[in-house]
C-alpha cells in the first residue's frame, strides 16, 4: 500500500461516511538536531515520524483525525472518524462553509538541495559546533552555544476533488550564541541570529554562515555588553538591522494579515487583528517605501513550497503595495467566507495537525539605500540589531522588542555600543515612520512560529533589509 | 513483521532488548513508549470551527555506548521500525564525541502511586466536548464566544537496561473560552482530572460577566500600580519562575535568580511542584519517580528542579523533572501550585462591584483582595510575556481579557490593556505580596500534562510601561 493509497482510502472512507469534501495528507518527516555548549556536544536527537491526517467537511462542519498507521484499515477508520467528528461539530453550527475553487492537479515538487544535510557525517557537523563553541568559550563567553536543525519532509496529498500531489521539502539551518553573565544580568550576542538562519535548502546554507569565523567576535562583544552604557530612554530615530526587521515584519504584518485572525477564528488564543476587511485596498499601512509580498516561490527561503496543504499552488501576491494594504494570507474556506478568490497559505506542522492559515515568505521589497548610507544620513539615533525578546498584543498593534545590541548614531557615524536596547510602538504608526530602506535583503527564516490549538510550530521566511524609522520610543526598562 | 498489538510495556522492553542485542551488553539505554489520544474541539464566533483528534504512538530512546550519548525517537512501532530506530541511534552515538558527564541510568525503584484516571475522560467522544461548548456558548447569551474544550489520555511505559521499569496513565480535561462584547473580552479557564468536572455553562457565564464588565475601557497612564492578579495571570508568573528560575541547569549556569536558603520571596509565598496532585504520569523522562517538591517555603527558596544530569553536577538527587530533549533546556517543573492563604480571605463578603463593572469580580477570594486596594488594577490575564533578562527575570508582556481600575476597594471602571516590564521575583519579593486568596484554581497549559494552580494574588507594585496607544 503506497502513501497515496492510504490517503485515497482515508478520503474515500470520509466520503462514504457522509462528507461532501475530504482531503488527506501522509507525511514522513525525518528530523535531526544537535546542540553544543562550551566545546562539547550537548545533545543529539534524531526523529522519524510518519502518519496520516484526514480532514472531512460534513455539511458546513469540519472534522480531523490523525493516525500513525498507513494500513488500509487504519486509513479508512481515520476517514470515518474525521467524518464523525465533523458531525459532532454540527452540534454548535456556524455559517455555511464554501471553498474557493482550486484546479485539481497531479504534481510533484521538491525544494532545492545541493548537499543533503542528513548525508553530512555527524562527526563533521559535531566538529563544526564544537569548534565554534570552543572558540567562543576561549574568548570570554560564559555560555557558548551552537545548534543546527534539519527537517526532511515528504508529503503525499489527496483530495476528493482529484488532487494527487507529492512534495519533498528539505530545510536546515543553524547558528551560535555567546552569553556572558555579570552581576545580576546576562548579555548575549549571536551569529547570524539567536536561533540561526534557516531555509529550504541543503547543508550549503550552514556552510555559508561560516560560524567559526564569527565566534571570537560575538564572544568578545557579549562580554563588552556587560559594561556598555544602557540604551537611553526617549524618542529617537531608530535604524533596525535586517534580522530584527524580519521579526518586526513577522509580528506586526505577517500575523496581522492572516485571514483566520481577521475573521476571529483565533480570537481566544493567538488573537485577532486590527485590520478590517472593509479597508482592504484602501488602508494606509505604512509609508510609500513599504512593499510587502507573500511569496512562497522564493528559492531557498524557509516559507517556500510547491503547493500548500490543501493543494493550492504557490503564487506570489502583494500584501502591502506603496504603503497600502492590499492582500491577506488565506485558506480556501476563509477566503470564501471573506469573498476573496484565493487561498494558498494553509499548512500544518505535521501529519497529526490540522492545516491552518500560516505565513509563507512575507517580506519587504528592497529599497534604494545601503545601511551605511542610512547611518550617514542620521544625525541622532540608535541602531539596533538581532532580536532578543519579542512581544505584541493580541490585535498585533502594540509591540515591544528587545535587541541583543545597540549602537549610538551621532552625526552620521556609529558610536558606542549600547546594552539592553528596546523599542516599542504601534504597528501602523511605526511603519508610516519608515523613511529610508536599504537594498541589502536577506530572506531570514523563522522556524519557531507558534499558532493554533493544539499548538503548531510554523516555518516562515521574511526577506528584509535594514531600514530607518523616525521618532520611535526606545529604552524601556523595568 | 508487525509489533502492533503489543502493550507499551512490551514495546519498551523490546527496544531495550534490541539495544542489548545490537549494541552489546555494555550499552546503556532507556526507552519510553507513549500512546496518546488527544482531542480538541475549538470554537470561534460561537460555532465549532475546528474539531480534531489524534491517536498517536511514540517511542523515545536514549542510549550511552562507549562513553557517547545520543537520542532518537519515532512513530513506527513495527519490528522493522523499532530496529531501525535502535540502529540509527546506535550509529549516531558512535559518531558523537565523548560524554564525560553521563549520569548513568535510574536504578530499579518502585514508582510512586499515581492518582487513578477517569475512564470516561480517557474515552470521551466528540459529542461530549461539543455539548460542553454548546453550554458555554448558550450561557454567554448574545455575546460572541471562542475557545476550546480538550481531553487527553496518555498511557506510557519506561524501561532501561539497568532493569528499571515503570508504567502509568494520565488523563486531563480542560476548557478555555472567552466571551466578547464590542471588542471587550472576558475569559474563563479550567483544568480538571475529569471532563465531568467542567461546567460549560458556568464557565460561559463567568466569561460573559467579565466581558460585560469590560465594556467602554479608558486608557490609564503608565506607571507603577498596585495590582490584584486573578489565577490566569498568576499562572504566567509561575510558568516563567519555573522555566527560568527553578531550573537546575540554569541555576548551575548562574542564569537563575534562585538562591536556595535565601528569603527571596514574601513570607506568604509557598510554591510546590506537585505532579501527582492531579492525574499525571508517575515517572519522568528518565524513569525517576515524580513526587511533590517544595521550591519555596514561606518565602524562602528551598530547591530547584533536577534531572539526573543536573543532579549529578550538583551532587544531589534527581527530583524527577527530566523532560524529553532536556539536555539543552534543563529540567522543568510543570505542575506548580501557589498555596492559598492559610485561613482564606478575611473578608470574603461578596462582590465588590456594582453598576457597569458588576461581573469584573467573579469569586469571593478576588473580592476580598480587591476590597483592600485603595487605588490599583484588577488584572485577569497576561499575554505574550517574554523574558528580557533571564537572571533578573525581567519580563515584558501585556494584560488581556479584562483590566479594571480599583479605587477604595471598589472596581470603578474598565481600563484598556497595558504593557508591563517587571522583574517577576522582585514583584513577589519580601513585603511585596499584600494578600492571597484561599483557593488555588488549576489553569491549563498549552500542552496537556502541565498546569499551574494559584489563588488570586494582591501585589504592592507592578510596572506598567505603556498603554494601548504605545
Amino acid at each position: 500500500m503506497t502513501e497515496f493509497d492510504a490517503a485515497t482510502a482515508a478520503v474515500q472512507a470520509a466520503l462514504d461516511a457522509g462528507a461532501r469534501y475530504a482531503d488527506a495528507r501522509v507525511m514522513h518527516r525525518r528530523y535531526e538536531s544537535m546542540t553544543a555548549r562550551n566545546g562539547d556536544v550537548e545533545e543529539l536527537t534524531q526523529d522519524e515520524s510518519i502518519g496520516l491526517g484526514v480532514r472531512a467537511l460534513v455539511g458546513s462542519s469540519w472534522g480531523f483525525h490523525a493516525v500513525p498507521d498507513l494500513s488500509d484499515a487504519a486509513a479508512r477508520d481515520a476517514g470515518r472518524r474525521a467524518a464523525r467528528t465533523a458531525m459532532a461539530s454540527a452540534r454548535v453550527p456556524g455559517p455555511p462553509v464554501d471553498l474557493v475553487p482550486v484546479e485539481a492537479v497531479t504534481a510533484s515538487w521538491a525544494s532545492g538541495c545541493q548537499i543533503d544535510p542528513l548525508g553530512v557525517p555527524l562527526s563533521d557537523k559535531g566538529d563544526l559546533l564544537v569548534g565554534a563553541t570552543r572558540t567562543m568559550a576561549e574568548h570570554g563567553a560564559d555560555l557558548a552555544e551552537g545548534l543546527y536543525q534539519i527537517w526532511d519532509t515528504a508529503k503525499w496529498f489527496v483530495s476528493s476533488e482529484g488532487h494527487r500531489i507529492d512534495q519533498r521539502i528539505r530545510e536546515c539551518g543553524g547558528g551560535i550564541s555567546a552569553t556572558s553573565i555579570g552581576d545580576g544580568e546576562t548579555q548575549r550576542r549571536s551569529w547570524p541570529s539567536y536561533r540561526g538562519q534557516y531555509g529550504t535548502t541543503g547543508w550549503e546554507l550552514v556552510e555559508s554562515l561560516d560560524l567559526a569565523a564569527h565566534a571570537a567576535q560575538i564572544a568578545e562583544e557579549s562580554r563588552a555588553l556587560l559594561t556598555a552604557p544602557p540604551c537611553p530612554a526617549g524618542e529617537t530615530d531608530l535604524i533596525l538591522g535586517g534580522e530584527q526587521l524580519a521579526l518586526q515584519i513577522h509580528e506586526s504584518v505577517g500575523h496581522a494579515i492572516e485571514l483566520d485572525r481577521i475573521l476571529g477564528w483565533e480570537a481566544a488564543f493567538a488573537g485577532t487583528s486590527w485590520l478590517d476587511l472593509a479597508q482592504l485596498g484602501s488602508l494606509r499601512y505604512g509609508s510609500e517605501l513599504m512593499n510587502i509580498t507573500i511569496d512562497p516561490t522564493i528559492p531557498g527561503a524557509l516559507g517556500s513550497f510547491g503547493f500548500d496543504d490543501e493543494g493550492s499552488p504557490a503564487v506570489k501576491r502583494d500584501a502591502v503595495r506603496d504603503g497600502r494594504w492590499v492582500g491577506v494570507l488565506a485558506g480556501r474556506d476563509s477566503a470564501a467566507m471573506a469573498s476573496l478568490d484565493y487561498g494558498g497559505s494553509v499548512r500544518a506542522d505535521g501529519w497529526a495537525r490540522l492545516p491552518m492559515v500560516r505565513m509563507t515568505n512575507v517580506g519587504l521589497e528592497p529599497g534604494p539605500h545601503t545601511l551605511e548610507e542610512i547611518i550617514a544620513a542620521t544625525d541622532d539615533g540608535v541602531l539596533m540589531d538581532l532580536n532578543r525578546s519579542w512581544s505584541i498584543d493580541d490585535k498585533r498593534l502594540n509591540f515591544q522588542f528587545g535587541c541583543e545590541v545597540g549602537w549610538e548614531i551621532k552625526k552620521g557615524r556609529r558610536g558606542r555600543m549600547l546594552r539592553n536596547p528596546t523599542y516599542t510602538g504601534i504597528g501602523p504608526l511605526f511603519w508610516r515612520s519608515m523613511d529610508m530602506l536599504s537594498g541589502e535583503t536577506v530572506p531570514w527564516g523563522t522556524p519557531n512560529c507558534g499558532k493554533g490549538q493544539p499548538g503548531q510550530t510554523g516555518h516562515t521566511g521574511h526577506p528584509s533589509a535594514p531600514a530607518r524609522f523616525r521618532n520611535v520610543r526606545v529604552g524601556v526598562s523595568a | 513483521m508487525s509489533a502492533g498489538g503489543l502493550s507499551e510495556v512490551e514495546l519498551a522492553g523490546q527496544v531495550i532488548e534490541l539495544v542489548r542485542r545490537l549494541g552489546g551488553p555494555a550499552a546503556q539505554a532507556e526507552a519510553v513508549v507513549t500512546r496518546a489520544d488527544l482531542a480538541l474541539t475549538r470554537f470561534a464566533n460561537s460555532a465549532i470551527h475546528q474539531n480534531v483528534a489524534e491517536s498517536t504512538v511514540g517511542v523515545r530512546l536514549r542510549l550511552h555506548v562507549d562513553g557517547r550519548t545520543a537520542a532518537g525517537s519515532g512513530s513506527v512501532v513495527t519490528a522493522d521500525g523499532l530496529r531501525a530506530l535502535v540502529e540509527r541511534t546506535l550509529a549516531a552515538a558512535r559518531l558523537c564525541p565523548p560524554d564525560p558527564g553521563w549520569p548513568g541510568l535510574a536504578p530499579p525503584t518502585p514508582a510512586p502511586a499515581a492518582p487513578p484516571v477517569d475512564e470516561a475522560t480517557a474515552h470521551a467522544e466528540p459529542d461530549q466536548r461539543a455539548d460542553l461548548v454548546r453550554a458555554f456558548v448558550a450561557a454567554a447569551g448574545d455575546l460572541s464566544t471562542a475557545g476550546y474544550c480538550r481531553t487527553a489520555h496518555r498511557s506510557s511505559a519506561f524501561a532501561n537496561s539497568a532493569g528499571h521499569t515503570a508504567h502509568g496513565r494520565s488523563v486531563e480535561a480542560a476548557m478555555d473560552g472567552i466571551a466578547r462584547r464590542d471588542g471587550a473580552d472576558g475569559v474563563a479557564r479550567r483544568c480538571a482530572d475529569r471532563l465531568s468536572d467542567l461546567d460549560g455553562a458556568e464557565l460561559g457565564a463567568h466569561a460573559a460577566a467579565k466581558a460585560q464588565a469590560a465594556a467602554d475601557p479608558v486608557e490609564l497612564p503608565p506607571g507603577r500600580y498596585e495590582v490584584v492578579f486573578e489565577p490566569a495571570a498568576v499562572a504566567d508568573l509561575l510558568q516563567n519562575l519555573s522555566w527560568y528560575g527553578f531550573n537546575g541547569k540554569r541555576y548551575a549556569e548562574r542564569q537563575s535568580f534562585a538562591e536556595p536558603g535565601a528569603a527571596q520571596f514574601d513570607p506568604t509565598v509557598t510554591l510546590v511542584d506537585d505532579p501527582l496532585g492531579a492525574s499525571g504520569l508517575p515517572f519522568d523522562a528518565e524513569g525517576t519517580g515524580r513526587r511533590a517538591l517544595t521550591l519555596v517555603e514561606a518565602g524562602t527558596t528551598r530547591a530547584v528542579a533536577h534531572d539526573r544530569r543536573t543532579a549529578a553536577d550538583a551532587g544531589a538527587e534527581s527530583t524527577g523533572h527530566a523532560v524529553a530533549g532536556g539536555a539543552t533546556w534543563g529540567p522543568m517543573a510543570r505542575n506548580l501550585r501557589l498555596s492559598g492563604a492559610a485561613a482564606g480571605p478575611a473578608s470574603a463578603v461578596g462582590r465588590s462591584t456594582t453598576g457597569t463593572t458588576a461581573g469584573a469580580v467573579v469569586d469571593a477570594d478576588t473580592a476580598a483582595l480587591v476590597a483592600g486596594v485603595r487605588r490599583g488594577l484588577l488584572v485577569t490575564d497576561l499575554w505574550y510575556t517574554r523574558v528580557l533578562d533571564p537572571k533578573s527575570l525581567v519580563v515584558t508582556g501585556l494584560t488581556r481579557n479584562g483590566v479594571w481600575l480599583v479605587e477604595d476597594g471598589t472596581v470603578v471602571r474598565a481600563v484598556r490593556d497595558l504593557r508591563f516590564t517587571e522583574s517577576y521575583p522582585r514583584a513577589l519579593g519580601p513585603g511585596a505580596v499584600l494578600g492571597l486568596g484561599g483557593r488555588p484554581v488549576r489553569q491549563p497549559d498549552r500542552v496537556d500534562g502541565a498546569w499551574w494552580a494559584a489563588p488570586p494574588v494582591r501585589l504592592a507594585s507592578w510596572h506598567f510601561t505603556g498603554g494601548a496607544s504605545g
Side-chain angles (χ1 to χ4, degrees), chain A residues 221-234:
Chain A
E221 286 184 359
S222 74
R223 284 229 78 79
L225 277 170
L226 288 174
T227 53
C231 177

Side-chain angles (χ1 to χ4, degrees), chain B residues 54 170 206 301:
Chain B
E54 60 184 78
S170 68
H206 177 141
T301 300

Side-chain angles (χ1 to χ4, degrees), chain A residues 362-441:
Chain A
V362 177
L364 187 60
E365 290 187 349
H369 298 290
T370 66
L371 174 60
E372 291 310 312
E373 287 171 354
I374 295 172
I375 291 171
T378 302
D379 189 51
D380 187 5
V382 177
L383 165 63
M384 298 187 194
D385 203 8
L386 266 67
N387 183 261
R388 183 172 181 178
S389 69
W390 62 102
S391 174
I392 190 164
D393 72 15
D394 55 319
K395 293 183 177 59
R396 299 281 146 177
L397 274 170
N398 178 305
F399 62 80
Q400 179 174 315
F401 293 111
C403 292
E404 288 187 356
V405 64
W407 286 275
E408 267 181 351
I409 304 296
K410 295 286 186 192
K411 295 184 169 47
R413 302 176 70 90
R414 188 189 300 221
R416 296 182 300 172
M417 183 185 280
L418 302 173
R419 72 184 155 105
N420 298 334
T422 60
Y423 68 99
T424 189
I426 301 293
L429 300 177
F430 180 79
W431 283 106
R432 287 170 204 165
S433 77
M434 181 171 70
D435 73 338
M436 291 189 81
L437 174 61
S438 121
E440 298 148 315
T441 299

Side-chain angles (χ1 to χ4, degrees), chain B residues 38-127:
Chain B
L38 311 176
L40 188 146
T41 300
R42 204 170 185 211
F43 58 108
N45 301 321
S46 297
I48 293 174
H49 71 309
Q50 293 172 3
N51 205 345
V52 303
E54 60 184 78
S55 303
T56 62
V57 59
V59 184
R60 192 161 37 75
L61 168 66
R62 183 172 68 160
L63 54 79
H64 183 75
V65 58
D66 297 333
R68 298 156 200 269
T69 307
S73 58
S75 67
V76 185
V77 294
T78 61
D80 288 346
L82 296 180
R83 186 182 179 94
L85 168 65
V86 171
E87 286 177 342
R88 72 169 182 266
T89 309
L90 279 167
R94 288 184 177 120
L95 287 166
C96 277
D99 176 12
W102 171 248
L105 299 170
T109 46
V117 302
D118 178 52
E119 297 297 339
T121 303
H123 305 291
E125 295 290 337
D127 288 352

Side-chain angles (χ1 to χ4, degrees), chain A residues 34-35 37-38 40-51 60-68 81 84-95 121-123 126 130 142-143 145 179 181-187 194 251 255 260-261 263-272 351-356 388-402 420 422 424-426 429 452-455 473 476-478, chain B residues 38 40 42-57 59 69-76 84-85 88-89 91-93 95-100 125-128 130-131 133-134 137 146-148 176-178 180 183 185 189 222 224 249 253-255 309 324-329 383-392 394 396-401 417 419-423 426 446 463 465-470:
Chain A
M34 184 186 289
T35 58
R37 187 172 295 222
N38 294 347
D40 289 317
V41 169
E42 181 177 59
E43 188 163 34
L44 167 65
T45 299
Q46 296 175 318
D47 178 69
E48 182 170 18
S49 179
I50 186 166
S60 283
S61 298
W62 286 106
F64 175 84
H65 198 93
V67 291
R81 285 172 179 264
R84 187 170 150 209
T85 300
M87 291 168 189
S89 299
R91 294 165 93 93
V92 192
L122 280 169
S123 53
V130 165
D142 291 307
L143 297 171
E145 300 167 277
T179 300
I181 300 172
D183 183 19
E185 71 170 306
T186 64
Q187 293 294 338
Y194 171 39
E251 299 289 358
H255 280 304
D260 56 346
R261 296 177 63 110
L263 293 173
W265 296 0
E266 289 287 325
F269 177 55
T272 57
W351 54 265
R353 290 289 182 267
L354 179 74
M356 62 190 307
R388 183 172 181 178
S389 69
W390 62 102
S391 174
I392 190 164
D393 72 15
D394 55 319
K395 293 183 177 59
R396 299 281 146 177
L397 274 170
N398 178 305
F399 62 80
Q400 179 174 315
F401 293 111
N420 298 334
T422 60
T424 189
I426 301 293
L429 300 177
Q453 295 172 303
R473 185 181 174 206
V476 179
S477 60
Chain B
L38 311 176
L40 188 146
R42 204 170 185 211
F43 58 108
N45 301 321
S46 297
I48 293 174
H49 71 309
Q50 293 172 3
N51 205 345
V52 303
E54 60 184 78
S55 303
T56 62
V57 59
V59 184
T69 307
S73 58
S75 67
V76 185
L85 168 65
R88 72 169 182 266
T89 309
L95 287 166
C96 277
D99 176 12
E125 295 290 337
D127 288 352
Q128 295 171 270
D131 285 345
V133 170
R134 184 163 59 182
V137 170
Y148 72 78
D176 181 351
I178 61 169
R180 324 194 75 200
D185 298 349
R189 192 176 290 152
R224 290 199 166 273
K249 183 178 176 72
E253 292 175 338
R254 299 186 295 125
Q255 292 198 89
R309 197 178 283 269
T328 299
W329 262 100
W383 164 248
Y384 220 129
T385 57
R386 288 292 183 271
V387 174
L388 299 179
D389 181 70
K391 190 167 176 71
S392 55
V394 171
T396 189
L398 299 122
T399 61
R400 191 176 179 184
N401 296 323
D417 283 318
R419 172 173 293 285
F420 66 86
T421 306
E422 182 59 85
S423 162
R426 186 171 69 192
R446 291 176 184 177
H463 190 198
T465 47
S469 300

